[in-house]
Amino acid sequence: MSFEIQRIQIKGLWQRYSVLKQAVDKKYPNQTNEQFLYHGTTKEICQKINSTGFNRSFCGRNAVAHGEGTYFAKEAWYSCHDQYSNPDESGFKYIYRARVVTGSPCKSRKGMKEPDPLDPNNPQAGLYDCAVDSLQNPSIYVVFCDAGAYPDYLIIAKNVSAKRTSVMAEKKLLLEGLPDDLDAVVPMLELYFKNKRSGGEAVRIQEHPEDRRKALLIYLSEADMQNVLARVHRLDFRDLGMVELTVKAQEAPDVPAMKDTQMKAESEDRTVDCRGRSLLVTGAGPVDDDTVSLYFEQFSEQTEITHHGENSWIITLASHS
């Protein structure tokens, strides 16, 4: 595993962010108005963020199910998915740990361009400060003011032992029982079926050619596919509630991949080979244990980190449950 941590220091951006945070702190003095969140991006956009900060004009590159703003994740592993941090030609991913003014959030919805009014009957009351996917247990935050987020650290990482799997035959399963609004639940499907929690790791999800309440799960491993078939799959789609999905083994026609969900096989991290083993990891610069942990959270629910020497660690990844 190879990674590098860069501290981003841009005086103008920091001053702009600080002014907004102070205003929100004054409005809500008895609560925490700032959070440390994660944002995955590409190498090209990373270069722009490093000079001018986060920009809402980039929205729609990955998804707009929660509004047309800049998206941040509560958990680092979410931003590590290829949908959000697509690897460059050398296999490197680019993920920011950002400071974000979250203040008082409202519920997100597709197509929203700004947060909802605090009081619809009083325009002078102003707007909420951001939008979230769930008011009870948010995992996605959407910011509509560019000054409301500061790119504090940039994590550049890749798995140097990644296998090339593009020549492997794809295997398809049929997924049934989805809500009517497929676009709104794609992020949750990605998180679940591209993770060992589902029993196997799907490499991508495709739209069904005829039925929006169905989708195709694409696997490269026969063992993963059989494990998924053997399980009962219940997903909490938040506002839609708990839904039991049906997964079937069925021949399906080739269809174009769903926009923004296809993983690049040639740069895919195949973590199955390292679960339960110890890896020697060396950083390119001074890094603390918390920063090392945030990258490895995407591979295992339990990660043991032991110092090996100056700026190096022994990483032991446990199997997913």
Side-chain angles (χ1 to χ4, degrees):
M1 196 72 64
S2 175
F3 69 96
E4 176 184 354
I5 310 294
Q6 296 180 5
R7 178 75 181 273
I8 308 299
Q9 294 179 300
I10 308 173
K11 185 177 180 180
L13 289 180
W14 176 250
Q15 291 175 335
R16 185 177 65 171
Y17 174 82
S18 298
V19 168
L20 178 61
K21 181 180 180 299
Q22 289 171 8
V24 176
D25 284 340
K26 184 176 181 180
K27 184 166 59 170
Y28 305 113
N30 299 318
Q31 68 178 43
T32 300
N33 296 304
E34 179 186 59
Q35 295 197 49
F36 295 99
L37 304 174
Y38 299 92
H39 178 85
T41 189
T42 64
K43 180 180 180 179
E44 294 73 23
I45 294 180
C46 169
Q47 294 169 351
K48 297 178 181 178
I49 292 175
N50 285 349
S51 59
T52 61
F54 295 109
N55 191 321
R56 286 165 294 167
S57 67
F58 301 147
C59 80
R61 185 182 68 85
N62 290 322
V64 292
H66 299 284
E68 299 179 10
T70 303
Y71 284 50
F72 296 91
K74 184 176 181 179
E75 303 290 345
W77 55 266
Y78 190 108
S79 298
C80 289
H81 282 285
D82 281 5
Q83 180 183 2
Y84 309 109
S85 54
N86 209 347
D88 65 13
E89 64 279 1
S90 299
F92 284 97
K93 287 172 168 281
Y94 299 82
I95 300 158
Y96 286 94
R97 195 199 75 162
R99 292 174 178 265
V100 182
V101 176
T102 53
S104 180
C106 65
K107 178 65 177 69
S108 67
R109 64 178 182 277
K110 187 175 183 179
M112 70 187 308
K113 298 182 182 297
E114 64 179 9
D116 290 334
L118 286 167
D119 182 354
N121 299 318
N122 179 15
Q124 301 303 317
L127 306 176
Y128 286 94
D129 300 289
C130 71
V132 293
D133 59 334
S134 169
L135 293 174
Q136 290 72 36
N137 185 27
S139 61
I140 298 173
Y141 293 77
V142 186
V143 175
F144 300 89
C145 174
D146 294 338
Y150 179 78
D152 211 11
Y153 289 92
L154 172 63
I155 302 121
I156 304 174
K158 80 168 181 177
N159 184 349
V160 296
S161 62
K163 294 181 179 179
R164 293 183 177 272
T165 59
S166 58
V167 298
M168 299 176 66
E170 293 183 344
K171 303 167 181 62
K172 299 180 180 180
L173 295 179
L174 180 64
L175 177 63
E176 298 180 334
L178 296 172
D180 291 328
D181 188 0
L182 178 61
D183 292 336
V185 300
V186 163
M188 294 296 295
L189 294 177
E190 292 275 345
L191 288 178
Y192 180 73
F193 284 105
K194 288 186 179 180
N195 190 296
K196 281 293 185 181
R197 291 186 181 91
S198 66
E201 293 177 284
V203 295
R204 68 177 185 274
I205 301 174
Q206 292 182 348
E207 291 180 353
H208 191 276
E210 299 175 352
D211 191 341
R212 291 283 292 174
R213 291 178 58 84
K214 299 179 182 180
L216 302 176
L217 304 174
I218 311 302
Y219 294 88
L220 295 177
S221 166
E222 178 70 27
D224 278 1
M225 188 174 72
Q226 294 303 323
N227 287 338
V228 172
L229 284 171
R231 294 197 180 191
V232 175
H233 304 281
R234 297 186 180 93
L235 274 70
D236 186 356
F237 289 124
R238 301 190 185 281
D239 292 344
L240 298 174
M242 188 70 70
V243 176
E244 183 170 325
L245 302 176
T246 301
V247 178
K248 297 180 178 179
Q250 179 174 323
E251 291 295 328
D254 292 329
V255 296
M258 182 183 300
K259 184 179 180 181
D260 294 324
T261 61
Q262 182 171 356
M263 298 175 68
K264 294 194 174 181
E266 66 178 8
S267 61
E268 180 194 24
D269 290 334
R270 305 302 295 166
T271 62
V272 66
D273 289 335
C274 62
R275 290 197 305 273
R277 303 182 184 178
S278 295
L279 306 175
L280 175 61
V281 176
T282 302
V287 185
D288 57 33
D289 289 350
D290 289 340
T291 304
V292 176
S293 297
L294 72 86
Y295 179 74
F296 288 96
E297 286 175 355
Q298 65 170 318
F299 302 116
S300 177
E301 295 174 346
Q302 297 180 353
T303 302
E304 181 180 341
I305 301 176
T306 306
H307 277 287
H308 179 263
E310 183 178 357
N311 208 38
S312 63
W313 299 263
I314 298 294
I315 309 295
T316 301
L317 304 180
S319 298
H320 285 283
S321 60

